[in-house]
Amino acid sequence: MADRMVVEAGRGVTRRGALLGGAAAAAGALAAPAVHAQGPVTLRFVGTAVNQHQGIKDKVKEDLGVNLEYIAVTSDDVVRRAVTQPNSFDLMDLEFWMARRVVPTGNLVGLDTKRIKLADEITPALTRGEVGGRKLGSQGLAPWKILYMEGREAKGFAAKQTEWMTIIPTVYNADTLGIRPDRISRPIESWAELLNPEFRGRASILNVPAIGIMDAAMAVEASGRHKYADKGNMTRQEIDLTMAALTEAKRAGQFRAFWRDFNESVNLMASGEVVIQSMWSPAVTKVRSMGVPCVYQPLKEGYRAWAQGMGVPKTTTGRRLDAAYEFINWFLSGWAGAFLNRQGYYSAVLSTAQKHMEPYEWAFWMEGKPAERDIRAPDGTVMEKAGAVRDGGSFEQRMGSVACWNAVMDENDYMVRRWNEFIAA
Amino acid sequence: MSSSRPDAGGAAVLGAAAPSAPAARAGARTRRRPSGPGAAPYLQAAPLALVLLLFLVLPLLVTAAVSLWDYTEFTLVPDATLRNYREMFEGCLSGGACGTLRTYLSTLRLCALTLAVTLPLGFAVAYFLAFHVRSDGARTALFLVCTAPFLTSNVIRMISWIPLLGREGVVNRTLLGVGAVERPLDWLLYSEFAVVLAFVHLYTLFVVVPVFNSLMRIDLRLIEAARDAGASSPQILLHVVLPLAKPGLAIGAIFVGTLVMGDFVTVGVMGGQQIASVGKAIQTHAAYLQFPAAAAQSVVLLAVVLMMIAALTRLVDVRREL
C-alpha cells in the first residue's frame, strides 16, 4: 500500500505521465520505485542488428520521448542472454525459433494483445499462414504455431488464438540463394544447385547449424535424395542423412568457406570467392550497391522464411513496461514498417506501412512492378535504378512461395554434435 | 572461457566467502608473531594466490563440475553424469576416427605446423637482436618494430590477409600477371596454409621475447672459449647457443602451443569456418547453451594442453633456467 502511494506521488511529477496514459494505471501495482519515475524512460533493447537503426532510435525519441539503448548481439547471444541474463534488458527483438527456446524458461512473458492497438491488423501470413488466399508451407517453426501463449506467465504455447502473444511480430522475409549472374551463365532454378559439383570450390552456406542444415535439406530434397516430413524438425536418421550429404560435398571441396555474419557473406560474394550461397536479402543489396552483380534467386522449391518480433522479459515492469508497449504500438504504426520495407524486409502491419511509403516505392517493393524512378535506401543511397524489378517479384509471389521456416529441432543437441563433426570432417 | 559464464554469479558468491578465511588466519598469525620470519613470505604471496584462486582455480573447478551436469535445450541440470564425455567420444571406440578425435588431430596439426615455423623464425629474429645489433638504442627500436603488428586488433590483422590472398586478391593477380600460374591458387586462402600463416603472423613475437631473454643472458666468454677451442660457427650455434636458448624456446613453445590449441577465431576466419578446432567445437556448444558439453570439451582440452606442457618441461627444466 505504501509502495503504491509512493508510486502515485512519483507519477504526479512525471512530465510524460499523460502520454503513458491509462495504460500506466493498469500496471500501477507493478510500477517501478519512485526514483525511476523521473525523466524520460530508457529501454535497453537487445537484438540482432535488423531492427536497430539510428533512424528508428531518433524517431522514437522524437515521437515518444523514449530513449532506446541498443544492445546488438549475434542470434546465438540473443538466446543466451534471454536464458541466462533476463534482467539485463527491457525489450528483446528475437526470431520465433529463438522464442521457442526461451519461452520454456519463463523468462519472457506473454504480451497482452488488448494493449496492442493493431494486433488484428498483423499480416495473416504470420498469424494464419495465408497470403492472398494461398496456404504457406508450414515446415519448421511457422510463426502461427507458436504465436500465442495460454497466459502472461505461461511457459508453453497455446494451440489456438488467445489474448496473449509470445512476441509481437515486426519483421519477416523469405530467404533463398544469392548468385553471381556474371559468373554463372545459365539459369539457376533449384536449391539442388548448391550441391552441384559444377560450382566446386565456389559455393558457401552459413555456419549457423540450425539454419545451415535447413538450407542443406532444401538442396538434398531438391536433388531427389530424400523427402523430409518436416525439414525444421528432422529425425536422427534424417539429420545423419543430411549431414552425410554435406560432408560428402565438403570432402569433395564444394564449399569455399562457411559464413557466420552478414559482412562475411557480402565479402565472399563481392570478392568472387563464391558464386552461389545461402544469403540474406540486405546482403544481396549490399553486394549490388558495391557495383557487383548479384541476384537473390527465386527457386522452384520455394523460400526458407523467418520472422521476428518484440518480446518482453518478466523483469520489465511499471513505466518501462508501459514504454515497451508504447514502443511496440509505435513500431506497428507505419513509420518503422516503411523503414523496414524500404530495405527489402516485410513489415508486420502492411496497411500502415503503405501510408508512409511513396506509391512508386510500394509498387516496387510490394507489388513487384518495375521501379518508376530510382529506389533509395532509408539513408538516401540509391539501391536500384529506375526500371529495375525486385528479385522474386511481389509480396504475394515471394511470401506465397514459402516452403519452410527457420526452426530449432527437437533433436537440436544431436544436430549440433553432428554439425561439429561435419566441420571437423 | 565462455563456458563458465553462467556460473559467474556463483563464483562471485563463493569468492566473497573465500578471501575472509585466509585473511583472518594471516591476520591472527601476524598479531601473534609480529616479526616472525614465517608470516611475511605468505603475506607477500597472498594477493597473487588469492587472485589465482579466485580467477583460475575456482572457475576451473566450476567448469569441471559443470562438465558432469546434464542439460536440456534450455536448462542446466546439476547432476553427476558422464553423458557429456560419453557423447564426446561416441564412435571413437568402435574403430574409425570420431569427430572429437579428428578435431584434436586437426588442432594438433595446426599447432605443430605453427610451432615448426614460429620457433626457427622467432629464434632467428632473437639471435639477430641479441648478437648482431650492438647498440641498446637500436635494439629497443627494433624490438618496438617487432611489436608493431600488435598496435591493431587481432581481428583486423587477420582480415587484412583476405584481400591479399583471395582468389582475386593481390597475390593471385600478380602471379597471373607475370604468368607464373595459369589459374588462381585456391589454397592461399580458407586453407590450412592461411591459418598457419595468420598464426605465424600473430604469435612469432611470443617466441622472440623469451628466446631473446635467454640469449641475452649467455655469457659471451662462453662463445669466445668455444671459438678458442676451435669450434666453427655452426658448432657454436648448435652446442653452445642453442642449448642455452632452450628454456626460452620452451617458454615460447608453451605460449604459442596454448594459444593455438585454444583458438577459434583465427581458425574460423582464415580457414573459412571449414577447419575443425577444439575451441570452435566448444564455441558451438556454448552458443547452443550446451554448457555442460562445452565444459566437458574444455576439461579434455585442458588435460591435453597440460600434458603437452608437462612433456615440454621434462625436456627443459624451465624453472631452473629462469
Side-chain angles (χ1 to χ4, degrees), chain A residues 2-318:
Chain A
D3 271 0
R4 163 166 268 154
M5 283 166 67
V6 173
V7 169
E8 297 296 338
R11 188 171 294 126
V13 296
T14 309
R15 268 175 291 136
R16 292 191 336 90
L19 186 63
L20 291 171
L30 295 165
V35 278
H36 289 168
Q38 303 283 340
V41 184
T42 295
L43 289 177
R44 294 165 300 166
F45 183 27
V46 169
T48 54
V50 174
N51 282 341
Q52 299 188 337
H53 286 278
Q54 187 63 35
I56 290 178
K57 186 175 175 165
D58 295 342
K59 189 71 179 162
V60 168
K61 179 77 186 157
E62 185 188 324
D63 287 1
L64 303 178
V66 171
N67 287 324
L68 285 184
E69 185 187 317
Y70 286 150
I71 307 170
V73 295
T74 64
S75 36
D76 291 337
D77 278 335
V78 170
V79 179
R80 192 149 50 182
R81 256 200 198 240
V83 174
T84 61
Q85 301 155 260
N87 51 0
S88 70
F89 59 92
D90 304 310
L91 188 65
M92 176 170 260
D93 189 21
L94 72 172
E95 277 192 53
F96 274 89
W97 65 269
M98 300 174 191
R100 149 85 164 66
R101 295 177 61 196
V102 178
V103 165
T105 64
N107 287 351
L108 282 185
V109 291
L111 292 166
D112 188 350
T113 49
K114 289 202 297 282
R115 295 182 67 178
I116 307 292
K117 291 186 205 101
L118 294 166
D120 297 332
E121 300 289 315
I122 292 171
T123 174
L126 302 181
T127 53
R128 295 198 302 275
E130 283 172 23
V131 168
R134 266 166 93 182
K135 268 277 177 209
L136 303 191
S138 67
Q139 289 192 19
L141 273 183
W144 57 91
K145 292 183 194 165
I146 56 169
L147 186 57
Y148 298 100
M149 288 161 66
E150 293 290 359
R152 184 182 143 84
E153 308 274 339
K155 290 187 178 183
F157 302 103
K160 52 179 187 290
Q161 188 168 344
T162 68
E163 143 189 9
W164 302 96
M165 271 195 187
T166 314
I167 56 180
I168 307 294
T170 50
V171 58
Y172 51 101
N173 208 345
D175 284 358
T176 181
L177 297 178
I179 63 163
R180 283 283 298 267
D182 56 328
R183 302 291 169 88
I184 301 176
S185 43
R186 64 182 179 81
I188 296 292
E189 288 170 346
S190 167
W191 278 88
E193 305 282 6
L194 189 61
L195 297 176
N196 187 341
E198 185 186 331
F199 305 117
R200 180 167 298 161
R202 289 161 178 264
S204 174
I205 56 171
L206 75 171
N207 188 9
V208 175
I211 303 170
I213 197 170
M214 292 190 73
D215 284 349
M218 291 294 278
V220 167
E221 192 169 87
S223 66
R225 269 187 267 190
H226 180 74
K227 183 115 181 82
Y228 297 86
D230 185 347
K231 284 184 275 293
N233 200 6
M234 302 184 193
T235 63
R236 286 198 174 204
Q237 287 78 12
E238 284 176 329
I239 293 171
D240 288 346
L241 174 147
T242 315
M243 297 316 294
L246 273 184
T247 307
E248 187 192 317
K250 186 188 169 198
R251 290 215 174 117
Q254 180 73 4
F255 304 113
R256 180 63 172 147
F258 301 139
W259 59 267
R260 255 191 107 79
D261 69 40
F262 180 88
N263 287 321
E264 278 175 352
S265 73
V266 170
N267 291 339
L268 283 173
M269 208 61 166
S271 67
E273 299 293 334
V274 161
V275 297
I276 183 166
Q277 66 172 354
S278 42
M279 230 169 156
W280 296 333
S281 161
V284 174
T285 314
K286 180 86 187 285
V287 172
R288 255 198 310 238
S289 70
M290 293 161 85
V292 177
C294 186
V295 170
Y296 208 33
Q297 183 64 47
L299 301 166
K300 63 176 187 235
E301 294 86 7
Y303 294 87
R304 174 181 49 72
W306 54 270
Q308 72 184 38
M310 308 268 186
V312 171
K314 63 176 174 214
T315 44
T316 302
T317 52

Side-chain angles (χ1 to χ4, degrees), chain B residues 188-201:
Chain B
L188 285 178
L189 187 60
Y190 303 132
S191 61
E192 214 168 41
F193 167 81
V195 176
V196 172
L197 184 73
F199 277 142
V200 169
H201 178 205

Side-chain angles (χ1 to χ4, degrees), chain B residues 56-73:
Chain B
L56 184 73
V57 178
L58 206 67
L60 282 179
L61 289 178
V62 171
T63 305
V66 171
S67 77
L68 297 174
W69 286 16
D70 200 359
Y71 63 95
T72 67
E73 219 170 292

Side-chain angles (χ1 to χ4, degrees), chain B:
Chain B
M1 203 172 298
S2 55
S3 55
S4 58
R5 203 182 290 161
D7 309 299
V13 173
L14 287 170
S20 58
R25 222 176 297 135
R29 205 176 293 157
T30 23
R31 237 176 287 126
R32 225 177 294 140
R33 290 184 292 167
S35 57
Y42 287 104
L43 269 179
Q44 282 171 330
L48 182 62
L50 268 181
V51 167
L52 288 179
L53 196 70
L54 270 181
F55 297 107
L56 184 73
V57 178
L58 206 67
L60 282 179
L61 289 178
V62 171
T63 305
V66 171
S67 77
L68 297 174
W69 286 16
D70 200 359
Y71 63 95
T72 67
E73 219 170 292
F74 35 79
T75 52
L76 302 179
V77 187
D79 199 349
T81 169
L82 290 176
R83 169 190 168 188
N84 303 304
Y85 292 95
R86 199 172 50 240
E87 286 181 349
M88 202 164 130
F89 293 108
E90 211 169 52
C92 289
L93 300 175
S94 58
C98 56
T100 303
L101 199 60
R102 246 197 233 114
T103 306
Y104 271 90
L105 286 179
S106 154
T107 313
L108 287 169
R109 204 178 129 85
L110 289 174
C111 192
L113 286 170
T114 308
L115 284 175
V117 181
T118 49
L119 289 182
L121 189 63
F123 179 82
V125 172
Y127 187 90
F128 176 80
L129 285 175
F131 293 128
H132 288 277
V133 180
R134 293 293 159 83
S135 88
D136 278 343
R139 200 175 276 148
T140 314
L142 287 172
F143 231 112
L144 283 177
V145 171
C146 283
T147 60
F150 289 80
L151 296 176
T152 56
S153 91
N154 180 357
V155 177
I156 291 179
R157 266 177 287 158
M158 277 187 302
I159 288 175
S160 40
W161 282 108
I162 292 174
L164 202 62
L165 299 175
R167 190 179 275 144
E168 294 171 17
V170 176
V171 173
N172 266 323
R173 275 198 197 153
T174 313
L175 288 176
L176 285 172
V178 301
V181 293
E182 283 178 9
R183 300 182 53 209
L185 302 174
D186 280 349
W187 54 264
L188 285 178
L189 187 60
Y190 303 132
S191 61
E192 214 168 41
F193 167 81
V195 176
V196 172
L197 184 73
F199 277 142
V200 169
H201 178 205
L202 295 175
Y203 298 146
T204 301
L205 189 69
F206 292 111
V207 179
V208 173
V209 174
V211 173
F212 175 78
N213 190 39
S214 292
L215 294 181
M216 286 303 281
R217 286 152 37 98
I218 294 177
D219 190 337
L220 291 177
R221 284 173 302 182
L222 285 175
I223 296 173
E224 277 170 34
R227 196 166 294 285
D228 288 347
S232 66
S233 290
Q235 280 175 321
I236 294 175
L237 185 67
L238 207 63
H239 298 295
V240 180
V241 178
L242 208 53
L244 289 170
K246 258 168 48 183
L249 286 169
I251 294 170
I254 290 174
F255 277 147
V256 174
T258 45
L259 284 169
V260 172
M261 289 302 288
D263 179 275
F264 63 91
V265 179
T266 310
V267 177
V269 173
M270 300 302 290
Q273 312 277 2
Q274 295 211 73
I275 295 174
S277 73
V278 183
K280 180 88 212 159
I282 294 173
Q283 190 215 12
T284 311
H285 281 301
Y288 280 78
L289 297 170
Q290 302 169 347
F291 291 112
Q297 292 266 15
S298 311
V299 169
V300 174
L301 176 63
L302 183 67
V304 170
V305 172
L306 285 179
M307 279 192 284
M308 283 169 57
I309 293 175
L312 267 174
T313 47
R314 290 205 83 155
L315 288 175
V316 187
D317 187 351
V318 177
R319 208 175 305 159
R320 192 182 55 113
E321 303 282 349
L322 286 174

Side-chain angles (χ1 to χ4, degrees), chain A residues 121 123 172 332 334-376 388-390 393-396 398:
Chain A
E121 300 289 315
T123 174
Y172 51 101
L332 298 179
W335 193 91
F339 195 88
L340 293 167
N341 287 353
R342 281 194 198 105
Q343 295 170 73
Y345 298 115
Y346 294 125
S347 61
V349 180
L350 294 169
S351 51
T352 54
Q354 184 170 11
K355 288 184 198 128
H356 285 78
M357 291 171 82
E358 298 293 330
Y360 77 91
E361 288 182 315
W362 183 261
F364 173 81
W365 289 114
M366 304 303 293
E367 292 169 352
K369 293 189 180 138
E372 274 175 40
R373 55 183 115 152
D374 287 356
I375 298 294
R376 288 175 187 279
V389 180
R390 180 171 190 175
S394 69
F395 176 79
E396 278 78 18
R398 294 184 80 248

